Amino acid sequence: MSTTPVGRPRSESARRAVLQAVDDLLAEVGYAGVTMKGIADRAGVGRQTVYRWWSTTAEILLEACVADARDELRTVPQPDARRDVLGYLRLLEAFLLHSHAGLCYRVLLGETQHDGAVRELVARADILAPSARACLRRVGPRLQQDLDHDLHVAELVGPVVYAVLTTGGAPDLEALTDHLLAGWSRGGPAGA
Amino acid sequence: MSTTPVGRPRSESARRAVLQAVDDLLAEVGYAGVTMKGIADRAGVGRQTVYRWWSTTAEILLEACVADARDELRTVPQPDARRDVLGYLRLLEAFLLHSHAGLCYRVLLGETQHDGAVRELVARADILAPSARACLRRVGPRLQQDLDHDLHVAELVGPVVYAVLTTGGAPDLEALTDHLLAGWSRGGPAGA
Amino acid sequence: MSTTPVGRPRSESARRAVLQAVDDLLAEVGYAGVTMKGIADRAGVGRQTVYRWWSTTAEILLEACVADARDELRTVPQPDARRDVLGYLRLLEAFLLHSHAGLCYRVLLGETQHDGAVRELVARADILAPSARACLRRVGPRLQQDLDHDLHVAELVGPVVYAVLTTGGAPDLEALTDHLLAGWSRGGPAGA
Amino acid sequence: MSTTPVGRPRSESARRAVLQAVDDLLAEVGYAGVTMKGIADRAGVGRQTVYRWWSTTAEILLEACVADARDELRTVPQPDARRDVLGYLRLLEAFLLHSHAGLCYRVLLGETQHDGAVRELVARADILAPSARACLRRVGPRLQQDLDHDLHVAELVGPVVYAVLTTGGAPDLEALTDHLLAGWSRGGPAGA
DNA sequence: GCTTAAACGAGACGGTACGTCATGTCTTAAG
DNA sequence: CTTAAGACATGACGTACCGTCTCGTTTAAGC
């Protein structure tokens, strides 16, 4: 029951040229250069062609980086919980600070704050959480805990993200790992 | 030895009108409406007057919200560490989710990601950290720990900020408080 | 071997709207209203569209009036030299004082005095001289003289132009005609 | 019965500085630089001071050049009519083409075409006519004619002014002189 | 092989914000 | 009461990007 497409098929080369162009522009001239017109010109593509397949620069950025992001955040299981968490945090730090896809992610997270459409888009893409959940699923059992929840994701990822967003640098990941594992290993409240 | 200013003095009413205008515009028409032209028109002020005192919309936003932010994040000491931390986290959540100044902060944090000048500006203003440090200075002694460091600030603030930025909602603050205090109360590494 | 133009073709309606607008503005609100912005708004045309095809208001004015000017200054041969010259001078007076295109010409001649680019433009368009030369070519043979020179053009046209530019009125054209023909009919120097 | 002036008297040095500034600006950066603000800054004078004594740049220009113009166009009587007229035309050409005051005059004449206020101002100042009339009053009697009329002024001055305004150069003054004197020496109509 | 139909590049279109500049008015303190 | 300084509201300047439109030209699929 699939409708057979009629007319000239979509050009794969144009699609790739656009995604490449947005990546290059972001790296070379910064976000100010990421413009529908700029992307089209850089890609050697008609403006209408860009608008035909994407509505906003955010959509293009997302498509350009989301696959790379998944790859770069893929962790391998480690023999003990500490090394597992620490390994993930180091991967996350590298992603946010030095990766091309990480730069895209930060820019998109920024755009999210003043554009509801982008918020929906980025939320659906869910870039960081899956990798964090994978790590937590491995670590949880070894702490006799179930750690696969939004709160745990936020605790694991939040401090690094916050530090990178505000100061442009990452915190002491070893100490962070210790605090996290200590906090998770006993569930009771701690008073003064 | 102060140089006596010469010429017509700066108009305080124009300054206030601009700060009010940027606030109103952000709330009413969103960030897209926060435009140098839009601000000037809304404030009933010449465009040149805006440019004379501020270079970018980010600078105006910052000046418009920074004082409010400090006030809204001022905490009162609590009798025990748990209530102190929990109180601060609730204040932070309210600030980020429902406050006018918090909206400004999120927008500025977003802009920070693709504009180096804004990054410098926002970093210097240092909006969240002071309040977090005040909380940590009170809690630390009760845990026989020194908690006044960048890492602790990131651990305290990061999860909430991350959750708000990505999902638009806050995590379970009570559980977060317990995890934080547990993580901080014993400094040694925790293995599997 | 002509290169086929690519892309959307120029809009003839926009072109006409601009030329009409500049004409209307000059007549209705005076030269102060002849503004790139004003023209664009009046023509219901984007500002960029005006700049795409004309660089200055002077260019638009010139294009708006040059064709009309040629038409309005077209003379018909007269049976004798006196009537021919007088007819031309009356046409010239009417053109300068009452015609729409003549108003354009005077404004352009004014602009010429403090703008080198306009000078070049107006000089190339050569609005008055052709009609004057046509008259002189007809009159010359009847005076057994060759009158088709820059000096003769200046003598024919200059007094009227000068009077209109300075006083806003024209001199006695009949007497002027007599003086001109008398001056031209004998070539020798006249002493006191 | 003279009213004694009260308060600080007008500064003569400020007046001279303004007139000098407008002259310099016209010569150095062209008419585009002749601006109320530019004049004030160049003269080292408050903007309000300029507005207090002059309403427009045209008024300042006029005051700056009118006295010089009169001086530069002052002729000395010559023994015969031809030398008298030719001398005057040469003076006029030099004034229009090479004199500072002549540049002012041309600019003002230009402004006149699209500004009624300037027209009135320049007409009242009557810069060229007096010198032309002086020449005509000397020449007339030697031709047994009365030549002191607006038409004669236009015939004498118009061709040179027209040539300078349109082409930026002057015509053959000797031939022009001959034609003028021939045209004036017999008053009757000349037919083909 | 011809027709149909959609995608393609190019680029003009009407808008609008940008940051700069000159306008003419005003508000100071100094003389 | 004039002066220099300079802030003020206004509005045109020329540039850039927006998203839409109108061209002539591919590029397949289906008749």
Side-chain angles (χ1 to χ4, degrees):
Chain A
M1 217 48 176
S2 75
T3 58
T4 315
V6 133
R8 179 176 180 173
R10 175 172 184 184
S11 158
E12 177 61 19
S13 76
R15 179 182 158 274
R16 268 199 301 264
V18 167
L19 296 180
Q20 187 61 51
V22 78
D23 230 55
D24 294 352
L25 283 170
L26 186 59
E28 288 174 26
V29 302
Y31 186 70
V34 178
T35 287
M36 290 304 249
K37 180 185 193 304
I39 293 166
D41 289 355
R42 170 74 171 236
V45 143
R47 204 118 65 94
Q48 193 72 79
T49 299
V50 182
Y51 280 108
R52 207 186 326 267
W53 305 109
W54 298 274
S55 297
T56 61
T57 54
E59 283 184 23
I60 311 179
L61 268 174
L62 196 63
E63 184 169 340
C65 83
V66 73
D68 285 348
R70 291 285 161 83
D71 287 349
E72 294 178 22
L73 288 170
R74 185 157 296 138
T75 52
V76 292
Q78 297 292 327
D80 64 279
R82 190 171 188 279
R83 265 193 276 184
D84 215 328
V85 167
L86 187 55
Y88 175 71
L89 290 177
R90 289 201 167 125
L91 212 59
L92 179 63
E93 178 193 7
F95 171 76
L96 290 174
L97 282 179
H98 308 304
S99 154
H100 214 145
L103 177 57
C104 281
Y105 174 73
R106 283 163 52 195
V107 163
L108 283 170
L109 193 56
E111 213 65 359
T112 287
Q113 303 316 307
H114 49 252
D115 189 332
V118 178
R119 150 154 280 140
E120 187 59 27
L121 215 63
V122 173
R124 198 181 346 269
D126 199 22
I127 296 176
L128 292 189
S131 62
R133 268 196 286 267
C135 175
L136 291 169
R137 265 194 300 270
R138 289 193 305 266
V139 170
R142 286 184 280 206
L143 302 176
Q144 283 97 36
Q145 302 276 345
D146 177 10
L147 296 184
D148 190 5
H149 290 76
D150 283 352
L151 172 60
H152 295 109
V153 172
E155 287 175 321
L156 180 62
V157 159
V160 178
V161 169
Y162 171 78
V164 170
L165 290 191
T166 55
T167 69
D172 178 344
L173 297 183
E174 302 221 8
L176 174 57
T177 303
D178 293 339
H179 292 175
L180 286 172
L181 292 176
W184 291 336
S185 60
R186 49 185 181 97
Chain B
M1 216 51 176
S2 75
T3 58
T4 315
V6 117
R8 181 175 178 171
R10 176 172 183 183
S11 160
E12 179 59 20
S13 76
R15 179 181 157 274
R16 267 198 302 263
V18 167
L19 296 179
Q20 187 60 51
V22 77
D23 230 54
D24 294 353
L25 283 171
L26 187 59
E28 289 174 25
V29 302
Y31 187 69
V34 179
T35 286
M36 290 305 249
K37 179 185 193 305
I39 292 166
D41 289 355
R42 170 74 172 237
V45 142
R47 204 119 65 91
Q48 191 72 74
T49 298
V50 182
Y51 281 108
R52 208 188 322 270
W53 304 109
W54 298 275
S55 295
T56 62
T57 54
E59 282 183 23
I60 312 180
L61 269 173
L62 196 63
E63 184 169 339
C65 83
V66 73
D68 284 347
R70 291 283 163 82
D71 287 348
E72 294 178 21
L73 288 170
R74 185 155 296 139
T75 52
V76 291
Q78 298 293 327
D80 63 280
R82 191 172 188 279
R83 264 192 277 183
D84 214 326
V85 168
L86 188 55
Y88 175 71
L89 290 177
R90 288 203 167 121
L91 211 59
L92 179 62
E93 179 193 6
F95 170 75
L96 290 174
L97 282 179
H98 308 302
S99 153
H100 215 144
L103 177 57
C104 283
Y105 174 74
R106 283 164 52 196
V107 164
L108 283 171
L109 193 56
E111 212 64 359
T112 287
Q113 303 315 308
H114 48 252
D115 189 330
V118 178
R119 152 153 278 139
E120 186 59 27
L121 215 63
V122 173
R124 200 185 339 272
D126 199 21
I127 296 176
L128 292 190
S131 61
R133 267 195 287 267
C135 175
L136 290 169
R137 264 195 300 269
R138 287 194 306 266
V139 171
R142 287 182 280 203
L143 302 176
Q144 283 96 38
Q145 302 275 345
D146 177 9
L147 296 183
D148 189 5
H149 291 74
D150 284 351
L151 172 60
H152 295 108
V153 170
E155 287 175 322
L156 180 63
V157 158
V160 178
V161 168
Y162 171 78
V164 169
L165 289 191
T166 55
T167 69
D172 178 344
L173 297 183
E174 302 223 7
L176 174 57
T177 303
D178 293 340
H179 291 174
L180 285 172
L181 292 176
W184 291 335
S185 60
R186 47 186 180 99
Chain C
M1 218 48 176
S2 74
T3 58
T4 315
V6 114
R8 181 174 178 170
R10 176 172 183 183
S11 159
E12 179 60 21
S13 75
R15 178 182 158 274
R16 267 198 302 262
V18 167
L19 296 179
Q20 188 60 51
V22 78
D23 231 53
D24 295 352
L25 282 171
L26 187 58
E28 289 174 25
V29 301
Y31 186 69
V34 179
T35 286
M36 290 303 248
K37 179 185 194 305
I39 293 166
D41 289 355
R42 171 72 171 237
V45 143
R47 204 120 63 92
Q48 190 72 65
T49 298
V50 181
Y51 282 109
R52 208 184 328 266
W53 304 110
W54 299 275
S55 295
T56 61
T57 54
E59 283 184 23
I60 311 179
L61 269 173
L62 195 63
E63 184 169 340
C65 85
V66 73
D68 284 348
R70 292 282 162 84
D71 287 349
E72 294 178 22
L73 289 170
R74 185 157 296 140
T75 52
V76 291
Q78 297 294 325
D80 63 279
R82 190 174 188 277
R83 264 193 279 183
D84 216 327
V85 167
L86 188 55
Y88 174 71
L89 289 177
R90 288 201 167 126
L91 212 58
L92 179 63
E93 179 195 6
F95 169 76
L96 291 174
L97 281 178
H98 308 303
S99 153
H100 216 146
L103 177 55
C104 282
Y105 174 73
R106 283 164 52 195
V107 164
L108 282 170
L109 194 55
E111 213 65 358
T112 287
Q113 303 316 306
H114 49 253
D115 189 331
V118 177
R119 152 152 278 140
E120 186 59 28
L121 215 63
V122 173
R124 199 185 340 272
D126 199 21
I127 295 176
L128 292 189
S131 61
R133 268 194 288 266
C135 175
L136 291 169
R137 264 193 301 268
R138 290 194 304 267
V139 171
R142 288 184 279 206
L143 303 176
Q144 283 96 38
Q145 303 275 345
D146 177 11
L147 295 185
D148 189 6
H149 290 73
D150 283 352
L151 171 61
H152 295 109
V153 171
E155 288 175 321
L156 180 63
V157 157
V160 179
V161 169
Y162 172 78
V164 170
L165 290 191
T166 56
T167 68
D172 177 345
L173 297 183
E174 303 222 9
L176 173 57
T177 302
D178 293 340
H179 292 175
L180 285 172
L181 292 175
W184 292 335
S185 60
R186 47 183 179 100
Chain D
M1 217 50 175
S2 75
T3 56
T4 315
V6 141
R8 182 173 175 173
R10 175 173 184 184
S11 157
E12 178 59 20
S13 75
R15 179 182 159 274
R16 266 198 303 264
V18 166
L19 296 179
Q20 187 60 50
V22 79
D23 230 54
D24 294 351
L25 283 171
L26 187 58
E28 289 173 26
V29 301
Y31 186 69
V34 179
T35 289
M36 290 304 250
K37 179 184 193 306
I39 294 167
D41 290 355
R42 170 74 171 236
V45 143
R47 204 119 66 91
Q48 193 68 67
T49 299
V50 182
Y51 281 108
R52 208 187 321 270
W53 304 108
W54 299 274
S55 295
T56 62
T57 54
E59 283 183 24
I60 312 180
L61 269 174
L62 197 62
E63 184 169 341
C65 83
V66 73
D68 284 347
R70 291 282 164 84
D71 287 348
E72 294 178 22
L73 289 169
R74 184 156 297 138
T75 52
V76 292
Q78 298 293 327
D80 64 278
R82 190 173 188 277
R83 263 192 278 185
D84 215 328
V85 167
L86 187 55
Y88 175 71
L89 290 177
R90 288 203 168 122
L91 213 58
L92 178 61
E93 178 194 7
F95 171 75
L96 290 174
L97 282 179
H98 309 303
S99 152
H100 214 144
L103 177 56
C104 281
Y105 173 73
R106 284 164 52 195
V107 164
L108 283 170
L109 193 55
E111 213 63 359
T112 286
Q113 302 316 307
H114 48 252
D115 189 331
V118 178
R119 151 154 279 139
E120 186 59 28
L121 214 63
V122 173
R124 198 184 342 270
D126 199 21
I127 296 177
L128 292 189
S131 62
R133 267 194 288 266
C135 175
L136 291 169
R137 264 194 301 267
R138 289 194 304 268
V139 170
R142 288 181 279 204
L143 302 175
Q144 283 96 39
Q145 303 274 346
D146 177 10
L147 296 184
D148 188 7
H149 290 74
D150 284 351
L151 171 60
H152 295 108
V153 171
E155 287 175 320
L156 180 63
V157 158
V160 179
V161 168
Y162 171 77
V164 169
L165 289 192
T166 55
T167 68
D172 177 345
L173 297 184
E174 302 222 8
L176 174 57
T177 302
D178 293 340
H179 292 175
L180 285 172
L181 292 176
W184 290 336
S185 61
R186 46 186 181 99

